[in-house]
Amino acid sequence: MNTPPAILSAIPRRLHLQPDHPLAITRQLIESRFPDYKSYNDLFPVVTTNQNFDSLGFPDDHIGRSRTDTYYLNKDTVLRTHTSAHQADTFRKNETAGYLISADVYRRDAIDRSHYPVFHQMEGARTWDRDQVPAGKTLAQVIWDDVAKIPKHDINVEDPNPTFHPARNPLQDTHSAEEVEALAAHLKRSLEDVVVAIFTAARTATATATATLDTPSASSEPLRVRWVEAYFPFTSPSWELEVFWRGAWLEVLGSGIVQHSILRNAGVPNRLGWAFGLGLERIAMLLYSIPDIRLFWSTDPRFLTQFAAAAPMARFVPFSKYPACVKDVSFWLRAPSSSNSSSSSNSAAGGNTSSSAGPPPASHAGQQPAFHENDVMEIARDVCGDVVEDVRLVDEFVHPQTARTSLCYRTNYRSLGRTLTNDETNELHERFRQQLVEKLGVELR
């Protein structure tokens, strides 16, 4: 069990289902582009490790299984880290050819304006049944017929790479080239239609925004979209969709042809299809120019009432900007220990720093677990809540004689709703420092 009360308290919030919440509006906008797909929006976030990892082919040593990345309730149960935890079950139910899942997901992560331990994903999939192809047609022809039904657009789409490549983006041996060409066309046209809807709404919002916004105006140039080859463990071939927005290419979503092993393990080996996934916060922050991910969790009426009965052209106008208070904490990590050789191999201090990729070694009686940066983030959130805006490593030093490592983390305190006093910030920071000592076994400098 490594799930703190603050994370458990977020479960009932279900922001993606709150009326007039920007995440709910964003979800509904995307759902409107898939009118024939079944939507699953109320799936409970507690899942088994089999659902979250095994059903998707995660290897036993995958970093996602680590307690440094995932919130465990016990050794067999976690808070889902992605909506794909429900993918196999949804394929197994086989209630509809296309489906959408929107849900809150939970990950131990960094603290900054774009990361939060609870966020929201949407994924969708569309499959076809080889056993239901009409006589005289191939499956590829059936899929191409469905491609013709997707709304057309006139945006500039760059797609220079072949649909599949034997080394970079391989074809699965269960699929023919003709089938994948048709599947890729259906996927790309469907998701291009979503992007047109999203960024048309964003451009409308920009055009009607007030002069108080401090964000640059969106370009009046035609919308540009490009497909980029990618790798995902659940799909092959795979692609990311990027949009040229405010002078830079921005990744919007990931997608690909579903690994047939997932469908086979779900009991529907006769089906094949595509899937995509995106972050609702990322899209909503674009639509409404929301500068800080913490605002989605705000109960301040100045934020929430802006979206009441709003269409996607509603625009978030930041309310008062309150001053930040920056404080540092420096500490020595535990010295290398011969009784914990697996830990001391990771760094000169005998613990993992933020660059360590693997899960921490099992702790022995009387020993502290290996250091991981996400533990610092978790303590900051637990002590300071949403008052902490950003925590980052600003200095790392290895003592030449003792080989001990010193780290310095800079914490930016800023309330979204009021000015913090220096006394209360000092009190929070001191509690943060003491919890680092108590829970991580560090030595303050």
Side-chain angles (χ1 to χ4, degrees), residues 130 132-142 145:
R130 282 195 172 108
Q132 296 181 4
V133 175
K137 280 199 169 186
T138 66
L139 179 59
Q141 290 172 329
V142 171
D145 290 344

Side-chain angles (χ1 to χ4, degrees), residues 26 113-114 246 280-293 296:
T26 303
R113 290 189 173 194
S114 61
R246 293 187 174 141
L280 286 175
E281 275 87 350
R282 185 183 185 92
I283 302 301
M285 291 174 87
L286 290 170
L287 272 173
Y288 304 110
S289 292
I290 295 174
D292 194 310
I293 197 170
F296 291 110

Side-chain angles (χ1 to χ4, degrees), residues 203-317:
R203 287 180 183 278
T204 302
T206 298
T208 58
T210 68
T212 60
L213 288 172
D214 61 356
T215 53
S217 299
S219 171
S220 60
E221 296 179 357
L223 185 62
R224 295 170 57 194
V225 172
R226 71 181 182 187
W227 289 99
V228 179
E229 292 177 335
Y231 167 78
F232 303 110
F234 319 136
T235 56
S236 186
S238 306
W239 307 274
E240 290 176 345
L241 181 58
E242 299 182 342
V243 173
F244 195 75
W245 182 250
R246 293 187 174 141
W249 285 104
L250 178 71
E251 176 198 338
V252 176
L253 55 84
S255 63
I257 308 305
V258 178
Q259 287 283 2
H260 195 254
S261 59
I262 295 175
L263 294 162
R264 184 174 59 250
N265 293 338
V268 287
N270 54 317
R271 301 190 76 87
L272 72 166
W274 55 258
F276 77 91
L278 56 81
L280 286 175
E281 275 87 350
R282 185 183 185 92
I283 302 301
M285 291 174 87
L286 290 170
L287 272 173
Y288 304 110
S289 292
I290 295 174
D292 194 310
I293 197 170
R294 293 176 296 166
L295 280 163
F296 291 110
W297 296 88
S298 173
T299 57
D300 192 314
R302 290 173 295 174
F303 175 71
L304 297 174
T305 56
Q306 296 176 96
F307 307 97
M313 66 280 299
R315 180 74 171 208
F316 168 61
V317 180

